[in-house]
Amino acid sequence: MPSPAEEIADLTVRLKRWGAAYFEIDTPLVPDADYDAAMMRLRALEADHPELQAPDSPTQRVGGAPLSAFETIAHRMPMLSLDNAFSESDLIEFHRRVVERLSVSEITYCCEPKLDGVAVSIVYESGLLTQAATRGDGVSGEDITANVKTIRNVPLMLSGDDIPSYLEVRGEITIPRSGFEQMNARARLLGQKVFVNPRNAAAGSLRQLDSSVTAKRPLEFTAYSVGVFDGSLPASHDATLRVLAEWGIPISEHMQTVVGIEACEVYYEQMAVQRDALPFDIDGIVYKVNSLEQQERLGFISRAPRWAVARKFPAQEVSTRLLGVDFQVGRTGAITPVARLEPVFVAGVTVSNATLHNIDEIQRLSVAIGDVVVVRRAGDVIPQIVSVVRDDTETNVGVREPIIFPSQCPACGAALAREAGEAAIRCVGGVGCQAQLKGVVRHFASRKAMNIDGLGDKLIDQLVDEGLLTSVADLFRLTKDGVGALDRMGEKSSENLLLSVAAARETTLSKFIYALGIREVGEATARSLSEHFMTLDAVLAASVEALEDVDDVGPVVAQHIRTFAVDERNRVILDELLAAGINWPDVTLDAGDGPLAGTIWVVTGKLVAMSREEAESRLRALGAKTASSVSKKTTSVVAGPGAGSKRKRAESLAIPIIDESALLVVLERHE
Ligand code: IVH
């Protein structure tokens, strides 16, 4: 057991190193949860042994020092931090202190998501944006005015009545998860810097000395308070934010004002349920005493206000050990390294596998088996390894075993190949490779494709392993005896399977094209192809140039379709499928005389009341066409939060953009 002095010294060294890396070079060395835990431990030790507290202890600092490359701006009012409540009892304790100090029994709180981004201060003088700064160390930050001006949802000029002559708005700059995933996918493809999480991507984007780089990043601002101002503002926090919104400043749509601490917990539970579905990362909830007069009476202690607290969610990034790597073969033959992890609890679920994407990613991370790694799980994105914990000398001392990428397909032994400009290494075995075949069948049978009920992954494995399936066409040759002979397949289940296979024969051209699993041909592209060419033969006969005429189809996708169409093995399977009786009604171009006939819609970003698919199918039911990319032919774009490049393109083509509530009005009017 180390003595308290030794432990304090050790924690101090670590926290300083972690803090410097985090605040000054945007590179976290350990997950936030580890940082928070170490900070909490140090605070506790210092509380027990005040004589051991150094004046420059990490517990006494708010953040890091600004970089020298930007001008420094002193905050007229310090930008403070928040105290954390890690449990319900911490929160109740916070409430008890508030009640005691104010000597009132009922407190009104404003609840807001704690956005996981970069804190900034934006100054408006006579309604004009004149300055923006990072929080920096809380006392002074960096002048990032040029960069903040590139953020599309930050108004450069406020509009409305009674705008204070001087108004400092404070808030968080974030990158929505979808924009982050796109940014990183592109960076991986081009071999550029991949960001660890949306917050670091936001920090890195704001730190660009060249603001034209910042302008290309999907940054968003959300205001959460007012700093210095000259003029009059409402007497409560929520009303103040609503006034900001009236002037054009974005605020959180999830803000809610409640009475009492129990209602705060209810809000927490509700947001915890929604967390995965939100378009952006949140790491907790912030509760603020709503009355500004009460806030003033409560005041501050050292670095945080007494009137606010952050109730943290389970961490989205945690560290664990990499036990091994499996190589999975997908339906297109791509070999994906999958990390096997010592099970850990991440954002509410236990994770024991994470993707390592591809060989480049393994090299980029310089990860080896036995390393302690940081796993991130956010939203519905599959868990990923984002970095290796390099710092902790004692954690990574075990035997490090290199990850050896296979030289042959791990499923069928065929050769592996890498196409020029591609990140993926693929098995060349085609459907001769059982792993690829299983993937192909799984996709063919899936709900949005041929929708074969009851044909799950396990059954597909059995059918392929037993040699009953050598192509998707074999599905239509299955017999009751053959299926019945499989393990755990009774007479009833065999019968049901054959019935659903038979039922799947009736389909639509677009579902059939999608089911074929042509590379990069998703549902929307399949639909565009079917509407454009109207017959399967025409799709298969189309030249690359003709294919590129289709909405949605670029040169790469066109080439994939050609490659599929000219492959003799595919033609044989297609003939067999058609001979088995797969059929679809003729494609009628004129989707009919619905009220929206003749219009072409693109739905993008996150919707709340319904999924994007549902919005599209309701639009189509009214006679509209839907597409997945914006072109000159697009008539309207529905953009929810997080809409990025499609929204930009619509703007540049001057195509009308509406939000979800306007869409609901359109749908309700016509349905
Ligand atoms: S209020 C004096 N509200 O959390 C208190 N902060 O840990 C000022 N944050 O630096 C902060 N969402 O960057 C507040 N709705 C929210 C927030 C929020 C995120 C960040 C903020 C602050 C940090 C404190």
Side-chain angles (χ1 to χ4, degrees):
M1 270 294 277
S3 70
E6 281 164 350
E7 203 183 338
I8 285 178
D10 179 55
L11 287 166
T12 301
V13 170
R14 283 170 195 246
L15 284 165
K16 280 191 176 168
R17 191 168 50 220
W18 294 345
Y22 182 99
F23 289 109
E24 281 153 36
I25 53 172
D26 295 332
T27 310
L29 295 174
V30 293
D32 281 7
D34 293 18
Y35 183 91
D36 289 346
M39 185 64 93
M40 214 155 62
R41 176 75 188 139
L42 181 57
R43 275 213 197 98
L45 284 165
E46 288 178 349
D48 288 347
H49 308 277
E51 72 286 359
L52 295 175
Q53 184 183 78
D56 68 339
S57 163
T59 58
Q60 302 305 300
R61 277 168 60 94
V62 182
L67 275 188
S68 52
F70 290 97
E71 294 281 321
T72 300
I73 288 181
H75 297 299
R76 284 175 60 182
M77 185 198 271
M79 288 184 78
L80 300 171
S81 175
L82 289 170
D83 269 338
N84 288 326
F86 288 97
S87 63
E88 191 170 346
S89 60
D90 285 358
L91 188 65
I92 290 169
E93 180 53 26
F94 159 79
H95 176 63
R96 196 194 54 73
R97 288 194 302 265
V98 169
V99 166
E100 198 175 273
R101 282 196 171 253
L102 292 175
S103 325
V104 288
S105 57
E106 226 172 45
I107 309 283
T108 302
Y109 290 106
C110 185
C111 316
E112 299 163 19
K114 186 169 189 298
L115 301 167
D116 202 3
V118 180
V120 292
S121 140
I122 304 179
V123 173
Y124 288 90
E125 287 173 89
S126 308
L128 214 64
L129 191 162
T130 53
Q131 189 186 78
T134 60
R135 186 177 76 157
D137 63 4
V139 177
S140 57
E142 293 163 357
D143 182 345
I144 51 164
T145 312
N147 288 344
V148 169
K149 281 185 174 170
T150 69
I151 302 175
R152 278 185 311 104
N153 81 340
V154 173
L156 297 178
M157 194 157 101
L158 303 181
S159 57
D161 299 326
D162 305 323
I163 298 168
S165 56
Y166 186 98
L167 175 69
E168 182 198 358
V169 179
R170 292 176 174 185
E172 201 84 352
I173 290 180
T174 53
I175 287 187
R177 286 201 282 253
S178 58
F180 166 73
E181 296 299 334
Q182 279 168 19
M183 248 173 92
N184 266 0
R186 198 172 314 130
R188 266 192 203 102
L189 223 61
L190 301 173
Q192 295 171 345
K193 181 178 160 95
V194 173
F195 288 102
V196 167
N197 53 39
R199 182 194 52 215
N200 282 93
S205 303
L206 284 177
R207 195 167 277 266
Q208 295 291 332
L209 287 167
D210 176 359
S211 59
S212 69
V213 176
T214 312
K216 295 197 194 91
R217 304 281 170 81
L219 295 162
E220 282 177 16
F221 174 70
T222 308
Y224 56 61
S225 73
V226 166
V228 180
F229 68 97
D230 199 352
S232 72
L233 285 174
S236 64
H237 175 74
D238 60 352
T240 303
L241 291 193
R242 293 214 173 85
V243 171
L244 295 186
E246 276 170 27
W247 294 331
I249 297 167
I251 62 169
S252 172
E253 56 184 302
H254 299 280
M255 176 175 90
Q256 200 175 311
T257 310
V258 303
V259 178
I261 204 69
E262 293 79 16
C264 289
E265 269 302 301
V266 172
Y267 178 88
Y268 174 87
E269 296 300 338
Q270 283 167 354
M271 290 302 288
V273 172
Q274 285 183 53
R275 183 185 190 190
D276 273 359
L278 294 174
F280 43 81
D281 275 4
I282 64 176
D283 56 354
I285 301 298
V286 185
Y287 300 107
K288 301 171 182 171
V289 171
N290 196 42
S291 150
L292 299 183
E293 178 268 329
Q294 288 181 338
Q295 285 191 5
E296 199 157 325
R297 268 161 58 205
L298 287 161
F300 298 82
I301 42 165
S302 69
R303 37 166 226 120
R306 280 202 196 87
W307 43 262
V309 72
R311 170 91 157 87
K312 301 291 278 243
F313 280 141
Q316 283 178 327
E317 286 174 18
V318 299
S319 55
T320 187
R321 198 172 291 277
L322 178 63
L323 301 176
V325 176
D326 293 333
F327 292 90
Q328 282 180 0
V329 187
R331 72 179 161 85
T332 62
I335 314 281
T336 306
V338 177
R340 272 190 295 108
L341 305 166
E342 209 161 83
V344 269
F345 205 57
V346 196
V349 304
T350 302
V351 165
S352 45
N353 294 307
T355 183
L356 275 163
H357 295 285
N358 52 46
I359 191 167
D360 293 343
E361 185 77 354
I362 294 175
Q363 278 157 2
R364 186 181 72 75
L365 292 165
S366 316
V367 57
I369 295 163
D371 279 349
V372 173
V373 294
V374 178
V375 181
R376 169 179 158 84
R377 189 191 84 87
D380 44 18
V381 179
I382 46 176
Q384 327 213 353
I385 291 190
V386 293
S387 60
V388 176
V389 178
R390 302 239 168 261
D391 180 71
D392 259 314
T393 31
E394 72 266 43
T395 45
N396 275 338
V397 288
V399 188
R400 295 184 78 227
E401 201 188 304
I403 299 169
I404 310 222
F405 210 88
S407 53
Q408 300 173 318
C409 173
C412 74
L416 300 181
R418 185 174 194 168
E419 286 164 35
E422 272 223 9
I425 293 184
R426 290 173 205 275
C427 158
V428 302
V431 287
C433 168
Q434 297 217 331
Q436 285 190 54
L437 176 60
K438 286 173 184 173
V440 167
V441 177
R442 226 170 269 152
H443 176 78
F444 186 81
S446 64
R447 198 174 51 80
K448 291 174 180 170
M450 303 302 282
N451 192 18
I452 307 182
D453 237 14
L455 185 56
D457 291 0
K458 286 236 171 64
L459 188 51
I460 292 173
D461 288 352
Q462 274 180 299
L463 288 165
V464 171
D465 292 343
E466 294 300 320
L468 293 177
L469 286 187
T470 59
S471 79
V472 286
D474 283 346
L475 282 168
F476 299 91
R477 290 190 272 260
L478 291 174
T479 62
K480 223 168 112 183
D481 290 348
V483 178
L486 296 174
D487 250 10
R488 288 187 310 275
M489 278 303 276
E491 193 170 333
K492 193 80 205 137
S493 14
S494 312
E495 239 171 60
N496 285 343
L497 176 64
L498 295 190
L499 282 176
S500 20
V501 170
R505 289 194 176 101
E506 317 287 330
T507 183
T508 64
L509 177 57
S510 76
K511 284 187 174 173
F512 185 66
I513 294 174
Y514 172 66
L516 296 175
I518 303 168
R519 269 170 66 187
E520 316 257 349
V521 176
E523 263 189 293
T525 308
R527 195 174 321 106
S528 303
L529 287 167
S530 90
E531 283 172 3
H532 187 96
F533 292 105
M534 300 176 72
T535 68
L536 180 63
D537 286 341
V539 176
L540 297 173
S543 66
V544 167
E545 294 73 39
L547 288 164
E548 281 186 50
D549 277 346
V550 180
D551 248 7
D552 248 12
V553 177
V556 175
V557 181
Q559 192 50 59
H560 286 320
I561 299 169
R562 265 329 277 157
T563 309
F564 179 91
V566 299
D567 188 327
E568 200 42 48
R569 293 169 299 182
N570 291 332
R571 300 307 280 252
V572 171
I573 292 170
L574 280 171
D575 286 345
E576 289 176 351
L577 288 171
L578 298 177
I582 288 185
N583 68 93
W584 50 84
D586 283 348
V587 179
T588 45
L589 225 206
D590 189 0
D593 25 45
L596 299 181
T599 59
I600 303 177
W601 294 67
V602 172
V603 184
T604 177
K606 195 91 193 170
L607 303 188
V608 181
M610 63 189 123
S611 67
R612 270 204 301 266
E613 290 79 25
E614 189 188 339
E616 288 169 350
S617 77
R618 285 170 72 179
L619 285 166
R620 284 198 297 275
L622 293 169
K625 285 222 274 173
T626 57
S628 63
S629 66
V630 176
S631 74
K632 283 184 300 231
K633 287 180 261 169
T634 310
T635 44
S636 311
V637 171
V638 180
S645 59
K646 292 182 197 177
R647 188 192 181 106
K648 283 217 184 81
R649 183 151 164 76
E651 278 169 355
S652 70
L653 294 172
I655 292 163
I657 303 174
I658 63 170
D659 65 7
E660 184 177 1
S661 55
L663 171 68
L664 284 170
V665 173
V666 171
L667 293 174
E668 274 156 25
R669 186 181 320 136
H670 294 298
E671 277 172 347

